[in-house]
Amino acid sequence: MKIIMLGPPGAGKGTQAQLLVEKFGLPQISTGDLLRGALADGTDLGNKAKGYMNSGQLVPDDLIISLIQERISRPDCEGGYILDGFPRTIEQAEAMEATDKIDVVLNIVVDTDVLMGRLMGRRTCRGCNAVFNITGRPPKVEGVCDLCGGELYQREDDNEETVTKRLDTYNDLTAPLIGFYRGKGILKDVKTGKEIPETFGNVLIALGH
Ligand code: ADP
Ligand code: ZN
């Protein structure tokens, strides 16, 4: 199964993608995680991406498209994958069409007024990239990942100014993908529930499970 997770920053795409990984054993491909990895490693890609990421803008399409094409050509993607954070522009979606056939696009629908609070409270694991939230989904021990014991940190781009810019970027450049994929008949809307498992229930229904 080849799945795209679509939705604004803070919708919980990554969290739901991680649950799908556990259930179906498919690899999760998060462009945000790949870029943050490149940044931490100080690679050429990381250096090019840094300024865009820290100001809430999208990294140029050509960089992202080649990153994804390389990643999905690896053997672990043969049986399917979950794309989390890609595509984010019509140009990226068109490149994806030319690369591989996607089965379903899960559009995570969420009230915009909750997004800001979620993004500001988000904490990410340095070890395994698991996502927590100091109010919604706190770790058992403050600052420590429940899954791997790694250190939790606040992303550099989860500050008010950058978050506002990322939400605008989503509305301008990414939201048009909803119509794009609806037109292809593969879009499924997923309502977010109050709790993570409730949303995951809706994800499974959308996938026909
Ligand atoms: P979120 O969905 O919470 O905004 P991500 O971790 O998916 O965060 O992405 C963080 C940043 O990485 C984005 O703001 C953007 O600068 C860059 N990025 C990630 N995916 C893409 C993409 N597909 N195209 C362009 N830039 C991207
Ligand atoms: Zn962890």
Side-chain angles (χ1 to χ4, degrees):
M1 203 163 22
K2 294 171 182 172
I3 304 171
I4 288 174
M5 309 293 292
L6 193 62
K13 299 182 295 288
T15 302
Q16 295 300 322
Q18 280 166 6
L19 293 169
L20 285 173
V21 169
E22 283 165 33
K23 184 153 176 91
F24 296 108
L26 298 169
Q28 171 188 9
I29 302 172
S30 158
T31 40
D33 287 347
L34 291 172
L35 291 170
R36 279 184 291 280
L39 216 143
D41 294 343
T43 66
D44 201 32
L45 172 68
N47 293 330
K48 283 186 188 144
K50 185 174 180 166
Y52 297 101
M53 294 175 74
N54 288 344
S55 59
Q57 291 171 273
L58 294 182
V59 172
D61 285 330
D62 55 336
L63 292 179
I64 293 286
I65 290 166
S66 52
L67 176 74
I68 282 288
Q69 285 174 337
E70 189 281 322
R71 180 64 189 85
I72 65 177
S73 69
R74 292 196 215 158
D76 66 327
C77 288
E78 267 167 29
Y81 47 77
I82 303 161
L83 293 177
D84 162 19
F86 178 92
R88 256 181 159 87
T89 63
I90 293 285
E91 187 170 338
Q92 291 178 16
E94 271 163 359
M96 194 61 224
E97 290 286 299
T99 306
D100 205 354
K101 190 180 171 302
I102 296 296
D103 298 299
V104 55
V105 178
L106 299 176
N107 179 37
I108 314 283
V109 181
V110 58
D111 274 352
T112 32
D113 45 324
V114 307
L115 294 175
M116 179 68 84
R118 279 204 199 165
L119 289 161
M120 304 296 292
R122 172 157 71 182
R123 299 292 182 271
T124 307
C125 175
R126 273 197 209 287
C128 72
N129 294 317
V131 178
F132 297 86
N133 195 288
I134 52 174
T135 50
R137 186 201 183 197
K140 292 197 181 82
V141 180
E142 194 188 323
V144 180
C145 176
D146 289 357
L147 306 179
C148 77
E151 182 204 349
L152 301 184
Y153 76 107
Q154 182 168 28
R155 275 170 41 179
E156 219 173 311
D157 60 347
D158 283 344
N159 63 72
E160 196 163 342
E161 192 189 338
T162 309
V163 163
T164 306
K165 176 69 185 150
R166 279 157 58 209
L167 292 172
D168 288 346
T169 303
Y170 170 80
N171 287 325
D172 294 345
L173 298 175
T174 309
L177 296 183
I178 297 171
F180 179 90
Y181 286 118
R182 209 184 290 288
K184 299 200 178 292
I186 58 171
L187 190 93
K188 302 267 185 202
D189 289 317
V190 175
K191 281 214 181 78
T192 48
K194 277 211 170 56
E195 305 285 340
I196 292 165
E198 190 185 337
T199 306
F200 192 55
N202 295 340
V203 164
L204 293 179
I205 292 169
L207 293 176
H209 278 266

